[in-house]
Amino acid sequence: MTSTFSIYALTAVAGLYCIYRLAVRLQLSRAKHPSLRGHSNWSRRVARLVPFFSYDDNAFFASDGAPEPVQQQRRKAIRTLQNNAEQHCHRTLAYLRAIRDSVSDVRFTSRYRVPFPYSDQLPECFRLGSMADESKGSQVRDLDGNWRYDLSGSYGVNVFGYDFYKQCMDEGIAHTRGLGPVLGAYHPLIAENVEMICEVSGLDEVSFHMSGTEAVMQAVRLARYHTGRTHLVRFCGAYHGWWDGVQPGIGNTRKARDVYTLADQSQQTLHILRSRKDIACVLINPLQAFHPNSDAPSDTALVASDRNNVFDKQSYTDWLSQVRDVCTERGIVLIFDEVFTGFRLAYRGAQEFYGIQADLVTYGKTLGGGLPIGVLAGTHRLMRRFKDDQPVNVSFARGTFNSHPYVMGAMNVFLNRIRQAHIQQQYRTSETLWNQRVARFNQRLESEGLPLRITNLHSILSVLYTRPSRYNWMFQFYLRQAGLELSWTGTGRLIMSYSFTDEDFNHVIERFVEAARQMDADGWWWQSPALTNKAIRRQFLVDMVSARFPILKGRLSGPLATTRHDTRSGPMADQDQYSRKVG
């Protein structure tokens, strides 16, 4: 009898435990964003199922169901753009072709400038990207002598204009030339640099690294070391460098079981932070306020016209304040990843911009004064890499080129220059200035009747498309022809520097409008009642399913159905493997 009762009791306990674990799991699932971006494992699995397919020559120009006259307009436009590029950029293109097959970054970015079904038919000269040999102020020059206003921002490095950084580099190297590349021994400028970084960060201690990704790696490692907990929380869509420990979804083949990807601005997320005992740290990318729960906008994902970036500063400030309170309450390390936003949004970066103090802060890009750098700042307690009572229990981190003298020199010039009165005045007025400029930009677009709108977070801009279209990704090539330099992500992110004067900005508006007029005249924004964003996405899904299951080809159709082939072809065939992964 006693034995039977024990079995029943154990069964009941096991059942209750299973119910408890299921409830905990459901709470975690509710805190994730419902999209695939919020479910890293599923996003990786689905990415493997997305087949490559390529629109043939006819479908390339008619995937939206455009009539024959519009198709011919587009064909002529492509030829004109191609001829102009080959004529005016022939030297630049020759150099890019020479390195195309031997520089892996060029192969990758060439593959992902546009939605993948269009890439094989896109003329090669559009895929190759940029090469430059000189910069000045807000402009860069290619090898053919073409000057363009730079909207790429050198991935965020260029906050103050290229002349500013060339001066930082020249002066910094002059200060440290006597020591040269001596490593291990520190150049004395490091002491002043650390003092200024501590002032900016509001923290006690600094470690130097060679990239922002490396600084984030160290921040996460120290958070786990000191809390004794296993997991980190990142927010849906946020980018923290390419390390697989903070990029658990597409692009990473390792199954990261120690990362929770939770929804931004969600009360369910706050509940998870309050209730779980395994969370070591929360990673915040302040730029995510521009597109919460979405990936960074890129033209490679411009399948339709439903890109939507909206920045609400007060709302995101309130959210970060709540996260800060929960982290303090639960002993979770709050990390601000300021690799991109540091020294751009304000003198003290996003911490000042949002009025939130973090426990650890990572910096990079612009802080190096034009040279590569990654920096981690934190409290004395969190930056400590050893335990007094456990001499072998250390958190090891070193790097051969950490604190390189030339980098320390350029950084020193940078940090001293941004303390000057006129730069501090720029910081005080910059947010209002950029908001006013973007408002003026949008007024001009509206007056021209163009299907475009500009959104911004400070001096970081993005292009929204207000008319359903399958060809918005073409706009990047018109902008380039008009004299505007974009990064490989195209119109998703336009990164502008403080060196843009009102006159420069007006020139950018004029060139932007000129490019948009031509794009419109060439028929890429042709419209029909059937061409809705929903219909476009449905047709794209039909195309993918037909490519995955050829037996269904012809049986599936959408409102925009066109002739296409699903077999691999074209000059990019050797890059099939990654395209299958990223989709």
Side-chain angles (χ1 to χ4, degrees):
M1 188 69 175
T2 302
S3 176
T4 302
F5 176 79
S6 297
I7 292 173
Y8 284 144
L10 287 173
T11 302
V13 169
L16 289 172
Y17 178 75
C18 290
I19 292 172
Y20 166 75
R21 294 298 301 169
L22 180 60
V24 170
R25 182 65 191 175
L26 287 174
Q27 286 179 343
L28 182 61
S29 295
R30 290 179 64 194
K32 295 181 178 181
H33 194 263
S35 68
L36 279 175
R37 288 184 295 270
H39 295 77
S40 301
N41 290 332
W42 276 108
S43 69
R44 191 167 54 244
R45 294 183 189 113
V46 171
R48 296 192 186 104
L49 297 175
V50 175
F52 184 90
F53 63 92
S54 177
Y55 293 138
D56 63 19
D57 182 69
N58 290 327
F60 180 93
F61 295 100
S63 58
D64 58 353
E68 183 63 27
V70 175
Q71 295 178 41
Q72 292 306 317
Q73 274 184 286
R74 294 169 177 175
R75 291 176 186 278
K76 180 180 178 181
I78 283 278
R79 288 194 297 270
T80 300
L81 284 170
Q82 182 177 4
N83 291 338
N84 286 340
E86 295 286 357
Q87 179 180 351
H88 297 294
C89 306
H90 63 278
R91 190 162 180 259
T92 302
L93 292 172
Y95 269 83
L96 287 165
R97 285 174 175 129
I99 65 170
R100 174 187 53 202
D101 295 330
S102 54
V103 179
S104 60
D105 279 353
V106 173
R107 294 182 68 204
F108 180 84
T109 57
S110 295
R111 192 74 190 98
Y112 291 101
R113 293 184 186 278
V114 304
F116 70 85
Y118 297 95
S119 62
D120 278 357
Q121 298 297 331
L122 192 70
E124 180 200 47
C125 62
F126 296 161
R127 299 193 301 260
L128 288 175
S130 301
M131 186 171 283
D133 63 0
E134 188 175 341
S135 65
K136 62 179 180 182
S138 304
Q139 299 185 63
V140 292
R141 186 184 72 177
D142 69 13
L143 307 190
D144 296 275
N146 302 305
W147 285 97
R148 298 184 183 91
Y149 283 102
D150 179 50
L151 309 186
S152 76
S154 288
Y155 298 112
V157 171
N158 185 19
V159 175
F160 296 101
Y162 289 117
D163 293 340
F164 177 98
Y165 293 95
K166 287 191 281 187
Q167 292 165 11
C168 288
M169 294 166 70
D170 290 344
E171 292 177 32
I173 291 173
H175 290 327
T176 56
R177 184 179 289 113
L179 183 60
V182 172
L183 303 174
Y186 295 117
H187 191 281
L189 283 176
I190 193 173
E192 187 178 1
N193 289 351
V194 168
E195 180 182 354
M196 288 186 284
I197 292 171
C198 287
E199 173 192 305
V200 167
S201 66
L203 296 164
D204 309 321
E205 199 170 323
V206 172
S207 65
F208 294 101
H209 308 276
M210 280 305 295
S211 70
T213 290
E214 200 176 316
V216 170
M217 294 169 72
Q218 173 66 349
V220 171
R221 170 176 281 195
L222 287 171
R224 286 179 169 143
Y225 178 67
H226 287 289
T227 63
R229 303 171 187 172
T230 54
H231 283 63
L232 69 88
V233 166
R234 63 188 286 273
F235 292 129
C236 179
Y239 180 72
H240 296 283
W242 53 263
W243 172 43
D244 55 17
V246 292
Q247 189 189 17
I250 295 174
N252 166 29
T253 56
R254 183 175 74 86
K255 295 178 180 178
R257 299 293 188 183
D258 50 8
V259 179
Y260 294 137
T261 299
L262 304 184
D264 221 343
Q265 296 183 286
S266 164
Q267 291 302 308
Q268 295 295 332
T269 291
L270 295 179
H271 175 74
I272 291 298
L273 296 179
R274 287 192 177 97
S275 60
R276 295 195 70 96
K277 298 179 180 179
D278 57 351
I279 298 173
C281 57
V282 174
L283 267 172
I284 301 288
N285 182 344
L287 186 58
Q288 203 63 23
F290 198 18
H291 40 82
N293 295 308
S294 297
D295 295 330
S298 170
D299 283 2
T300 191
L302 265 181
V303 175
S305 297
D306 45 6
R307 177 188 286 166
N308 185 28
N309 305 329
V310 179
F311 175 54
D312 185 334
K313 183 177 181 180
Q314 187 57 57
S315 174
Y316 212 75
T317 299
D318 293 343
W319 162 247
L320 291 179
S321 179
Q322 293 178 72
V323 173
R324 171 71 276 180
D325 290 345
V326 174
C327 287
T328 301
E329 171 191 331
R330 299 293 296 169
I332 298 170
V333 178
L334 180 62
I335 305 172
F336 265 31
D337 179 356
E338 292 242 44
V339 170
F340 191 98
T341 55
F343 303 95
R344 174 178 291 274
L345 301 184
Y347 174 62
R348 295 190 59 243
Q351 292 191 106
E352 178 183 340
F353 191 70
Y354 294 111
I356 307 292
Q357 177 65 53
D359 302 312
L360 294 173
V361 181
T362 62
Y363 298 102
K365 299 188 187 296
T366 196
L367 176 56
L371 295 177
I373 191 63
V375 170
L376 173 63
T379 63
H380 285 311
R381 181 182 71 83
L382 290 173
M383 295 293 284
R384 194 176 179 88
R385 302 181 190 177
F386 59 91
K387 299 182 186 295
D388 288 331
D389 58 344
Q390 300 173 15
V392 185
N393 184 3
V394 299
S395 178
F396 186 79
R398 291 292 297 159
T400 302
F401 289 101
N402 296 354
S403 310
H404 190 288
Y406 285 7
V407 178
M408 291 297 104
M411 181 190 297
N412 185 264
V413 177
F414 172 85
L415 287 168
N416 276 297
R417 290 191 69 178
I418 65 172
R419 300 174 87 182
Q420 295 174 359
H422 72 284
I423 298 289
Q424 291 295 312
Q425 177 60 25
Q426 273 188 305
Y427 273 130
R428 285 188 288 271
T429 60
S430 60
E431 183 182 6
T432 299
L433 173 66
W434 285 100
N435 288 342
Q436 290 173 343
R437 284 176 170 175
V438 170
R440 190 167 74 250
F441 203 156
N442 281 319
Q443 288 171 0
R444 180 63 191 283
L445 294 173
E446 185 176 357
S447 69
E448 293 284 341
L450 294 167
L452 301 163
R453 184 164 62 90
I454 307 297
T455 60
N456 73 300
L457 191 170
H458 201 275
S459 50
I460 306 159
L461 284 59
S462 189
V463 181
L464 303 187
Y465 298 87
T466 61
R467 183 186 303 167
S469 173
R470 294 198 67 167
Y471 293 99
N472 294 317
W473 48 267
M474 273 297 303
F475 191 39
Q476 60 183 298
F477 307 117
Y478 283 89
L479 291 173
R480 181 174 177 79
Q481 180 178 257
L484 301 177
E485 182 76 13
L486 277 62
S487 74
W488 73 278
T489 59
T491 61
R493 186 175 290 171
L494 312 179
I495 308 167
M496 304 186 76
S497 72
Y498 282 24
S499 64
F500 274 90
T501 63
D502 284 340
E503 183 180 7
D504 290 335
F505 197 81
N506 288 337
H507 283 310
V508 169
I509 292 176
E510 292 306 315
R511 296 184 185 201
F512 192 96
V513 168
E514 173 192 338
R517 285 173 178 161
Q518 191 60 54
M519 172 98 168
D520 199 17
D522 287 341
W524 299 107
W525 285 322
W526 170 84
Q527 184 64 41
S528 78
L531 198 65
T532 65
N533 287 326
K534 183 177 180 179
I536 290 171
R537 289 206 168 274
R538 186 187 302 126
Q539 182 63 57
F540 194 81
L541 179 61
V542 167
D543 294 342
M544 285 197 295
V545 173
S546 298
R548 170 56 66 186
F549 304 104
I551 194 172
L552 298 177
K553 186 179 179 182
R555 301 181 186 181
L556 296 175
S557 64
L560 311 176
T562 52
T563 303
R564 59 187 55 80
H565 66 83
D566 301 325
T567 56
R568 187 70 190 168
S569 64
M572 306 299 290
D574 61 328
Q575 296 180 32
D576 178 58
Q577 293 302 313
Y578 199 91
S579 66
R580 291 185 185 276
K581 216 177 289 180
V582 175

